[in-house]
Amino acid sequence: MPELPEVDKAANTIKAVAKDRLIEKVDAVEDTIVFSGVDHNTFAKELTGRKIVDVKRRGKVFWLVLDGEGRMPVMHFGMTGMIHIQGEDPAYYRRKPKDGETEEWPPKNTKFVLHIAASGDAPATKIAFRDPRRLGRVRLCAVPEEEPPVSELGFDPILSMLPLEEFSPLVKKRNMPIKALLLDQSFSAGVGNWVADEVLFHSQIHPEQRASALSDAEIATLHEKIVYVCQTAVDVKADSDKFPEGWLFRHRWDKGKKTKGPRLVLPDGRTATIKWITVGGRTSAVVQEVQKAGSGSSGKSRSKKRPVKHAEEEDDDDDEVEEENPESSELSEPPSDDDEGSGKRKRARKASKPKAAPPKPTPTRHAQNSMAKMSTLDIKQ
């Protein structure tokens, strides 16, 4: 899932190509899942003819500040959402070999396209919002900062990190695994699965450790590493190729696959051993050499049923998202009622099929002898 660094990059990309420029047209496809609380036609109508004054972000949510009367578009990428500028490479969450292939326009899985007017020497351009899995959300809000989902978010590690004296009591009062707390967007907005694992690795804290059981020194380190990980990723524009060599991120994606890449080496020269457990419903990467489960750990996580592998063999299925349901280059249409009805009819036919009668049990030797005696008696009678 795109997290704070990736969303920050998307917001800055839009700002670079469209700030102070006019939205002269909007193409939007009907999708009652992605468009939340607004239909696609209303969305297009309220944006058309307005200028993009600014682009803002809080956590994983970003929005366009437009001039004139009307609401502002507020967006969340979900698992596979992305921004695609016409003529440029799409901003995939993780680059895969096929990413470099030439895309037709509009690209597949597009939910809406902003037509940005030319301005001075800058030619006209188009910005597409894409979402293969349809887990992203697009809304219209009058004052985004004062309305959900933005108003419900916690501190942003880049924009509004709490001072340690305010951060520490918030951690200590929560009796839950620290990994689950970091993933709570009402606590730390923008921290997702890979950022949380990276923060805990650098903090040398086990993800199962209860937040309330952390020492003052551990909380201070956690506070520092949250800022360090997010700021480092943002500084390189979420380009994972530029992440530091010693980061867990570089070794968490090829689980179960024999790769020839270098293993994660710890500062003391040891080769890291990564174990995968489930904490708060999410797959968590743990470096066993430095992240020890202490007495304050929850003990309720579930280990993945696979042997412990070295760092380069990871493939976090909670994070790695393959593009599903490839579509044509036209604006993507949601499944029709007929498609859904067809699925229901198939399930109904399957449920209505009579079950095969169970095989008759083979008579025991005693029962066979009794039956033989009864047959002899019948014949004599």
Side-chain angles (χ1 to χ4, degrees):
M1 173 185 291
E3 303 180 23
L4 185 155
E6 292 84 10
V7 178
D8 188 82
K9 176 184 177 180
N12 286 328
T13 297
I14 297 175
K15 186 183 294 187
V17 301
K19 187 174 184 295
D20 297 326
R21 296 174 67 179
L22 186 72
I23 302 173
E24 58 182 5
K25 179 183 175 184
V26 179
D27 296 324
V29 61
E30 181 180 6
D31 192 319
T32 57
I33 295 176
V34 174
F35 287 99
S36 178
V38 63
D39 65 82
H40 67 295
N41 288 323
T42 301
F43 177 84
K45 182 178 180 180
E46 288 206 31
L47 269 61
T48 302
R50 299 169 68 188
K51 183 182 294 185
I52 298 176
V53 177
D54 200 0
V55 184
K56 294 188 175 182
R57 177 195 63 78
R58 186 180 181 96
K60 302 177 188 178
V61 181
F62 67 104
W63 63 97
L64 308 183
V65 179
L66 306 180
D67 70 353
E69 297 183 0
R71 294 173 290 179
M72 315 295 173
V74 179
M75 293 152 282
H76 185 277
F77 282 145
M79 288 291 290
T80 58
M82 70 186 79
I83 289 297
H84 191 167
I85 310 297
Q86 185 176 29
E88 299 182 11
D89 289 335
Y92 283 102
Y93 169 40
R94 290 188 59 238
R95 293 193 61 82
K96 298 179 286 293
K98 62 183 179 182
D99 291 354
E101 296 176 1
T102 302
E103 293 271 7
E104 296 183 4
W105 193 271
K108 56 188 177 182
N109 314 122
T110 292
K111 301 307 170 185
F112 68 82
V113 176
L114 304 180
H115 295 249
I116 306 300
S119 177
D121 295 333
T125 189
K126 299 175 184 178
I127 303 172
F129 180 97
R130 302 171 56 183
D131 186 9
R133 286 193 174 183
R134 303 172 67 205
L135 296 172
R137 293 294 179 267
V138 176
R139 301 174 171 88
L140 288 178
C141 296
V143 186
E145 295 95 328
E146 299 177 6
E147 301 175 41
V150 180
S151 63
E152 298 174 344
L153 297 174
F155 65 83
D156 184 293
I158 299 297
L159 304 175
S160 56
M161 185 63 185
L162 298 176
L164 181 58
E165 55 269 24
E166 294 181 25
F167 175 82
S168 183
L170 290 179
V171 174
K172 288 183 176 181
K173 74 178 184 180
R174 304 295 289 272
N175 187 29
M176 63 193 302
I178 187 59
K179 170 71 179 285
L181 178 59
L182 291 178
L183 295 178
D184 183 349
Q185 297 303 291
S186 67
F187 175 74
S188 52
V191 175
N193 207 35
W194 82 256
V195 170
D197 281 353
E198 196 71 48
V199 167
L200 293 173
F201 164 59
H202 290 285
S203 302
Q204 298 189 12
I205 297 173
H206 195 280
E208 291 179 305
Q209 191 76 13
R210 290 282 177 184
S212 57
L214 294 176
S215 67
D216 290 341
E218 287 175 320
I219 293 176
T221 301
L222 180 68
H223 180 269
E224 175 192 345
K225 298 306 180 183
I226 290 174
V227 176
Y228 161 70
V229 170
C230 292
Q231 190 65 63
T232 301
V234 165
D235 287 345
V236 296
K237 299 180 180 179
D239 184 349
S240 59
D241 290 338
K242 296 179 181 178
F243 288 176
E245 290 293 336
W247 272 29
L248 179 61
F249 184 98
R250 286 179 166 270
H251 306 273
R252 62 177 293 120
W253 305 105
D254 298 310
K255 179 175 52 189
K257 301 174 185 177
K258 299 295 183 181
T259 60
K260 297 180 180 180
R263 294 179 177 180
L264 175 60
V265 178
L266 301 174
D268 61 7
R270 289 179 295 170
T271 299
T273 303
I274 299 177
K275 180 182 179 181
W276 290 272
I277 62 176
T278 301
V279 182
R282 300 298 302 276
T283 298
S284 303
V286 181
V287 176
Q288 292 182 300
E289 288 80 3
V290 298
Q291 293 174 272
K292 306 291 185 181
S295 59
S297 62
S298 64
K300 294 183 179 180
S301 66
R302 175 172 54 85
S303 294
K304 293 288 184 178
K305 294 183 178 179
R306 60 170 70 90
V308 175
K309 300 179 183 297
H310 286 292
E312 80 278 15
E313 297 175 343
E314 183 196 6
D315 180 15
D316 191 336
D317 52 7
D318 276 359
D319 292 351
E320 182 169 358
V321 178
E322 294 297 331
E323 191 169 289
E324 294 185 347
N325 303 324
E327 304 168 8
S328 69
S329 60
E330 298 300 322
L331 289 179
S332 313
E333 296 290 348
S336 66
D337 292 337
D338 291 341
D339 293 336
E340 295 178 359
S342 175
K344 292 178 182 178
R345 287 193 293 272
K346 288 179 182 178
R347 290 192 293 272
R349 286 198 297 270
K350 184 176 180 180
S352 64
K353 288 183 179 179
K355 295 183 178 179
K360 295 182 179 180
T362 303
T364 63
R365 183 179 297 278
H366 176 73
Q368 290 174 342
N369 291 338
S370 299
M371 292 171 64
K373 289 179 181 179
M374 291 175 63
S375 298
T376 303
L377 180 61
D378 290 342
I379 292 171
K380 287 181 179 179
Q381 291 176 343

